[in-house]
Amino acid sequence: MTESRMLIDGKLVDGEAGTFTNINPANEQVLGEVSDASKADVHRAVDAARRAFDETDWSTNHGFRKQCLEQLHYAIEGEIEELREELIAEVGAPRAVTHGPQLDAPLVDGLKYPARLIETFPWETDLGDTVVSVTGVNTTRKVWREPVGVVGAITPWNFPFEVTINKLGQALATGNTVVLKPAPDTPFNATRLGRLIADNTDIPAGVVNVVTASDHLVGEELTLSPKVDMISFTGSTAVGKRIMEKGAATMKRLFLELGGKSATIVLDDADFNTACLIGIGPLMHAGQGCAAPTRMLLPRSRYDEGVAILTTIYENVSAGDPQDPGTICGPVISAKQQARILGYIRKGVDEGATMLVGSTEPPKRFDKGFWVNPTLFTDVDNAMTIAQEEIFGPVLVVIPYEDDDDAVRIANDSPYGLAGNVMSGSLERSLAVARRLRAGFIGLNGTAGYGADTPFGGYKESGVGRQNGVAGFEQYTEIKSVAYPAG
């Protein structure tokens, strides 16, 4: 049931550049061909989105938008198991992870929450009547929230459905039209959504367009086009900076959810047998998550105790077949990504960190696919490359600290500020530390606030803006202040 065609202006079409091949990262088998968009295809999609925004009532018809989002939700539910198998195959996502953040969790409210917000959001705020000093006229003042316009949504390969559904839900609920550009490594989940929109919803032609391309620079046409009002991008900080730079020419509105090097601080009063379990986080989906807790900070007084627990975890988790329900660490997405991760592991060894578990080479038991062994580094200084740069693989670095102040200093000593965790026997103490962390998404004592109603995003080089929640909803709107003589 894979869909190879793109959705442009309400029609499923082939790409002018031909096709490109979608590969299963676990075994390198060909999953199929998908349409390859040219720059002209992208501009046709942008033109369709522009017309749909400017010439239809999509941007103002709240009830219709709500109906269409609900239709899309139920259409996806009708193919959820096919979509699950597709994500396992093209993303290399472990089956277990699809029952959480890869598919089931975002589907619950990714579309339904913003659909509900359509009815409750303050589209108009009354500031009351006043005599304005510059005119002397008794004036009624309103603040209107309106959609931004055409949104270019660029999505990553690591959690493609989760990111896409949250971008579509909020952008469409606020009345925008969208050109969706998925990562070339994982196109089928996006083209499936295009087919479902075309065949199973009343979403008008041009409101959603899906363009797939093997060339990343084809997607840059969205950033360059003056007809695109906003870029909503999730991916690497390097690409985010390029989008910010190229979008400056047309003053693009931006939502950028970028990289991370998130720290878990285990305080000395924590139950270490429980607290150190969060160290398994970088193994989930082979560490291919922007908020993965890839730095663990342990008090020097209990450092050896924590390292012993982490060593047991890492020695007992292996990279395995994502189809196996017991697998948590599958393949990485590509040979390029595999080489990049292994390069970081070698760099860690060269800089003097201790590789307690892992290897600088791929696992030998796999003949095909892109695999990296779970890797645990200790004796890490926070200035080392493996502690400062985002590896995006199954690698945990463990760093000692002296006291709470030192732990906060180390956690904040990073160009990133996406997420973090604090583990403590005292809620009051963990809250006090959390308030000092320069990161946008903090979990205390093993919890996480993930959900369609919870803003997600980061400080510093982890991005601009927030996904989800009212804060995420608002960023897809413009503010218009209106005044007229009071009646």
Side-chain angles (χ1 to χ4, degrees):
M1 291 184 65
T2 56
E3 175 56 63
S4 64
R5 297 167 295 176
M6 306 181 296
L7 176 66
I8 298 180
D9 204 8
K11 298 181 176 61
L12 297 171
V13 298
D14 296 324
E16 283 190 352
T19 63
F20 64 97
T21 304
N22 195 10
I23 299 292
N24 185 326
N27 53 29
E28 301 180 58
Q29 291 182 357
V30 173
L31 298 172
E33 300 294 311
V34 65
S35 290
D36 199 359
S38 65
K39 291 183 179 181
D41 288 324
V42 175
H43 288 291
R44 286 195 300 118
V46 169
D47 287 343
R50 188 78 261 169
R51 283 194 305 272
F53 184 81
D54 292 340
E55 300 175 11
T56 76
D57 70 347
W58 176 258
S59 65
T60 58
N61 194 333
H62 293 187
F64 181 55
R65 296 206 301 266
K66 184 174 186 293
Q67 170 192 319
C68 289
L69 286 173
E70 290 171 345
Q71 288 174 337
L72 180 55
H73 171 87
Y74 292 118
I76 297 169
E77 278 196 333
E79 294 188 5
I80 187 171
E81 294 309 320
E82 293 86 352
L83 179 54
R84 188 185 314 281
E85 298 306 320
E86 197 165 68
L87 289 168
I88 294 169
E90 71 172 345
V91 183
R95 182 173 297 277
V97 180
T98 69
H99 290 286
Q102 193 70 251
L103 174 57
D104 289 0
L107 182 55
V108 171
D109 260 347
L111 297 175
K112 283 191 164 185
Y113 172 77
R116 293 194 298 270
L117 269 184
I118 294 173
E119 297 180 331
T120 61
F121 185 71
W123 298 103
E124 180 177 299
T125 303
D126 188 344
L127 298 181
D129 296 351
T130 190
V131 176
V132 178
S133 60
V134 294
T135 64
V137 175
N138 191 26
T139 302
T140 296
R141 300 160 304 150
K142 306 281 189 181
V143 177
W144 295 346
R145 285 278 189 171
E146 299 178 340
V148 172
V150 176
V151 175
I154 305 172
T155 56
W157 45 258
N158 59 326
F159 284 84
F161 174 80
E162 188 266 348
V163 174
T164 296
I165 207 67
N166 284 311
K167 289 189 188 298
L168 284 179
Q170 295 202 320
L172 296 177
T174 43
N176 299 282
T177 58
V178 178
V179 179
L180 171 64
K181 166 63 174 64
D185 302 279
T186 55
F188 280 156
N189 63 94
T191 53
R192 176 183 293 272
L193 287 176
R195 173 176 57 76
L196 291 174
I197 288 168
D199 294 347
N200 297 83
T201 77
D202 295 322
I203 295 175
V207 168
V208 180
N209 305 271
V210 180
V211 289
T212 50
S214 59
D215 183 353
H216 288 279
L217 290 181
V218 168
E220 190 165 89
E221 295 301 302
L222 296 173
T223 303
L224 299 173
S225 172
K227 297 178 183 179
V228 175
D229 300 290
M230 177 180 178
I231 296 294
S232 177
F233 170 76
T234 299
S236 73
T237 294
V239 175
K241 289 179 179 179
R242 182 180 176 93
I243 288 171
M244 183 174 278
E245 176 189 354
K246 298 294 184 180
T250 53
M251 293 299 290
K252 285 284 188 292
R253 298 333 188 227
L254 296 175
F255 164 54
L256 305 174
E257 196 269 283
L258 308 176
K261 194 69 181 178
S262 301
T264 296
I265 298 175
V266 181
L267 297 177
D268 57 12
D269 64 349
D271 176 352
F272 268 41
N273 286 321
T274 301
C276 291
L277 288 178
I278 203 168
I280 204 170
L283 303 185
M284 300 293 292
H285 191 25
Q288 297 172 119
C290 54
T294 53
R295 289 185 296 158
M296 178 166 281
L297 279 54
L298 296 178
R300 196 174 295 279
S301 61
R302 301 184 67 181
Y303 188 78
D304 291 344
E305 178 185 354
V307 166
I309 294 169
L310 293 168
T311 301
T312 299
I313 293 171
Y314 274 68
E315 286 178 340
N316 285 280
V317 176
S318 300
D321 183 358
Q323 292 285 355
D324 185 337
T327 293
I328 63 168
C329 184
V332 299
I333 192 65
S334 65
K336 177 182 177 181
Q337 192 68 10
Q338 179 193 49
R340 178 179 180 275
I341 296 165
L342 292 174
Y344 272 114
I345 293 172
R346 285 190 284 271
K347 184 77 168 177
V349 173
D350 291 344
E351 290 187 353
T354 300
M355 185 174 64
L356 274 188
V357 182
S359 173
T360 58
E361 300 297 328
K364 298 187 184 303
R365 65 184 181 281
F366 298 106
D367 295 328
K368 294 282 188 179
F370 314 119
W371 302 91
V372 176
N373 284 301
T375 301
L376 175 66
F377 278 107
T378 58
D379 304 316
V380 176
D381 185 287
N382 197 57
M384 291 179 177
T385 303
I386 57 172
Q388 286 292 310
E389 297 186 14
E390 185 177 45
I391 298 172
F392 228 61
V395 181
L396 176 67
V397 302
V398 189
I399 304 169
Y401 69 86
E402 301 299 336
D403 55 24
D404 291 11
D405 289 343
D406 192 37
V408 170
R409 179 192 64 78
I410 293 170
N412 288 336
D413 180 18
S414 171
Y416 299 106
L418 184 55
N421 298 277
V422 184
M423 311 296 285
S424 171
S426 163
L427 177 59
E428 181 179 1
R429 188 178 175 196
S430 58
L431 285 168
V433 170
R435 288 189 180 95
R436 299 170 64 190
L437 296 179
R438 298 284 294 166
F441 192 77
I442 307 295
L444 304 182
N445 300 327
T447 59
Y450 176 87
D453 61 350
T454 305
F456 178 81
Y459 293 22
K460 298 185 282 187
E461 293 190 18
S462 287
V464 177
R466 293 296 182 267
Q467 175 176 286
N468 294 346
V470 174
F473 198 86
E474 287 177 338
Q475 74 192 351
Y476 289 97
T477 67
E478 286 279 22
I479 299 174
K480 180 182 289 183
S481 299
V482 183
Y484 50 88

